[in-house]
């Protein structure tokens, strides 16, 4: 029974770590399916984590109680969406190098958020600890199933939202006219332009969706795990989300599977520390595990994952 309990806890912790990656990987898919490389997922997660902490904190100050984390989640989506416009304007309007622009977004987010935290919280290096954060929901009936009940059907509301959004993203991308247009501008923008599709408009929308989703991914970490924001809240999760996107071949279902895989790697880091043999392993090696797996998976995916044909190429209507 104890072994089953440990396995159930491992599944549950895997979902906790996977949620932020699912949100952010979906965001990356929307952007890159439209042809815009978004290395800035890390920075957008940082901006979302910051905004959620600040939004929730001020909601608490206004005595909004249990609504506070939901306000924080919404604040994160809006703030990161607006932040992503910097990347959109640079790459779509001014045709800047998309990789360099994404790297700038990462550095800018890291610097600006820490600076704003110091201004808003009297020079402190982190936000105030939140009293109201998300608690886990248990699905009636299903949560009582042995092993799988606690592991899969007792989770934070953000996890359920992320899983629903996987289905929504798949439907939007592959079953709607908007999704067809978005994919067409990522594969052959000049052909899309020829039939009347507004390439720049679609790409702007895709990058903003990417920002909102990545912001929600960052908010998930703040509102379920850390309860505050500091400079190391995200710690490379955006890059792991990008790896999940590539390993999942720019498909929502594939990204979900990859995110769960990387989430389990992070969960194993926690659970290995419960066993005696872990005392003989330097903790630094355990913390390295998710990132080492990310490198190995990406190395194995090279040549197998086919990116959108026009990914990374600025569109110039005059050169059709």
């Amino acid at each position: 029974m104890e072994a089953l309990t440990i396995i159930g806890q491992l599944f549950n912790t895997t979902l906790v770590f996977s949620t932020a990656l699912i949100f952010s990987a979906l965001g990356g898919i929307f952007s890159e399916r439209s042809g815009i490389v978004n290395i800035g997922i890390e920075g957008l997660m940082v901006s979302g984590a910051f905004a959620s902490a600040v939004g929730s904190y001020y909601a608490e100050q206004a005595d909004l109680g249990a609504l506070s984390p939901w306000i924080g989640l919404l604040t994160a989506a809006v703030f990161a969406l607006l932040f992503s416009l910097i990347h959109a304007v640079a790459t779509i309007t001014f045709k800047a190098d998309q990789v360099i622009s994404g790297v700038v977004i990462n550095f800018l987010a890291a610097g600006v958020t820490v600076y704003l935290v110091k201004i808003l919280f009297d020079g402190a290096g982190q936000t105030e600890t939140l009293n109201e954060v998300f608690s886990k929901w248990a699905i009636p009936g299903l949560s009582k199933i042995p092993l799988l009940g606690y592991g899969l059907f007792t989770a934070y509301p953000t996890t359920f939202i992320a899983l629903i959004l996987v289905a929504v993203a798949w439907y939007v991308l592959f079953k709607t006219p908007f999704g067809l247009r978005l994919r067409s501008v990522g594969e052959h923008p000049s052909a899309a332009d020829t039939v009347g599709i507004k390439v720049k408009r679609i790409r702007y929308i895709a990058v903003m969706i990417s920002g909102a989703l990545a912001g929600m991914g960052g908010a998930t970490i703040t509102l379920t795990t850390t309860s505050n924001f500091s400079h190391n809240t995200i710690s490379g999760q955006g890059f792991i989300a990008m790896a999940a996107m590539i390993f999942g071949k720019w498909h929502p279902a594939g990204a979900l599977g990859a995110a769960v895989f990387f989430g389990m790697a992070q969960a194993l880091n926690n659970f290995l520390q419960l066993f005696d043999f872990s005392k003989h392993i330097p903790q630094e090696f355990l913390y390295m595990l998710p990132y080492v797996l990310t490198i190995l998976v990406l190395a194995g995916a090279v040549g197998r994952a086919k990116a959108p044909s026009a990914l990374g190429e600025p569109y110039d209507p005059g050169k059709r």
Side-chain angles (χ1 to χ4, degrees):
M1 181 61 69
E2 184 179 352
L4 291 178
T5 301
I6 291 176
I7 293 173
Q9 291 176 342
L10 177 61
F11 284 166
N12 192 265
T13 307
T14 295
L15 284 180
V16 172
F17 284 116
S18 299
T19 302
L21 302 180
I22 294 170
F23 276 118
S24 302
L26 290 177
I29 288 172
F30 273 94
S31 179
E32 300 208 353
R33 278 283 187 174
S34 75
I36 302 297
V37 175
N38 200 346
I39 299 291
I41 291 293
E42 173 85 1
L44 295 172
M45 288 186 73
V46 170
S47 65
F50 159 77
S52 65
V54 173
S56 294
Y57 172 76
Y58 284 108
E60 287 182 5
Q61 299 304 302
D63 293 324
L64 295 180
L67 283 176
S68 298
W70 293 104
I71 291 173
L73 186 64
L74 178 61
T75 304
V78 173
F79 185 80
L81 183 152
L82 295 175
F83 204 83
S84 69
L85 281 173
I86 300 172
H87 184 54
V89 171
T91 58
I92 300 170
T93 300
F94 295 106
K95 302 179 178 61
D97 185 283
Q98 296 174 11
V99 173
I100 293 176
S101 176
V103 172
V104 170
I105 290 294
N106 290 336
F107 283 114
L108 184 62
V112 168
T113 54
V114 171
Y115 174 70
L116 291 176
V117 165
K118 290 182 179 295
I119 290 177
L120 295 173
F121 296 92
D122 300 322
Q126 62 186 34
T127 63
E128 295 286 343
T129 300
L130 300 173
N131 297 315
E132 292 285 348
V133 292
F134 288 121
S135 57
K136 291 182 178 180
W137 291 356
I139 298 180
L142 295 177
S143 61
K144 301 298 182 182
I145 299 174
L147 180 62
L148 295 179
Y150 178 75
L152 301 179
F153 300 110
T154 303
Y156 292 110
T158 46
T159 299
F160 296 124
I161 293 171
L163 295 175
I164 291 170
L165 283 178
V166 170
V168 171
W170 171 82
Y171 182 82
V172 169
L173 286 171
F174 298 103
K175 298 295 181 180
T176 66
F178 170 75
L180 178 60
R181 295 188 188 102
L182 187 148
R183 288 184 289 119
S184 68
V185 302
E187 295 291 345
H188 205 308
S190 60
D193 193 6
T194 301
V195 298
I197 296 173
K198 304 296 184 182
V199 175
K200 288 187 177 181
R201 180 189 299 173
I202 294 292
R203 286 185 168 182
Y204 260 96
I205 294 171
V207 172
M208 288 190 291
I209 292 173
S210 176
L213 289 172
M216 292 171 70
T220 295
I221 297 175
T222 298
L223 299 174
T224 63
T225 306
T226 64
S227 299
N228 65 10
F229 171 79
S230 65
H231 71 280
N232 62 351
T233 296
I234 301 302
S235 297
Q237 295 297 297
F239 297 112
I240 296 179
M242 288 190 64
M245 174 191 68
I246 296 170
F247 189 43
K249 298 181 178 180
W250 291 270
H251 191 285
L256 169 63
V260 170
F261 172 78
F262 289 124
M264 180 167 284
Q266 294 181 70
L268 283 172
N269 170 32
N270 286 6
F271 275 86
L272 287 176
Q273 297 180 45
L274 298 177
F275 299 97
D276 291 336
F277 69 82
S278 67
K279 298 177 182 177
H280 305 289
I281 303 175
Q283 280 201 333
E284 290 76 9
F285 283 97
L286 295 178
Y287 290 129
M288 286 167 53
L289 180 61
Y291 305 101
V292 171
L293 284 177
T294 301
I295 294 172
L296 293 176
V297 165
L298 282 179
V302 171
R304 299 182 183 180
K306 186 179 182 300
S309 301
L311 182 61
E313 299 177 6
Y315 177 60
D316 187 349
K319 296 182 179 180
R320 282 190 291 176

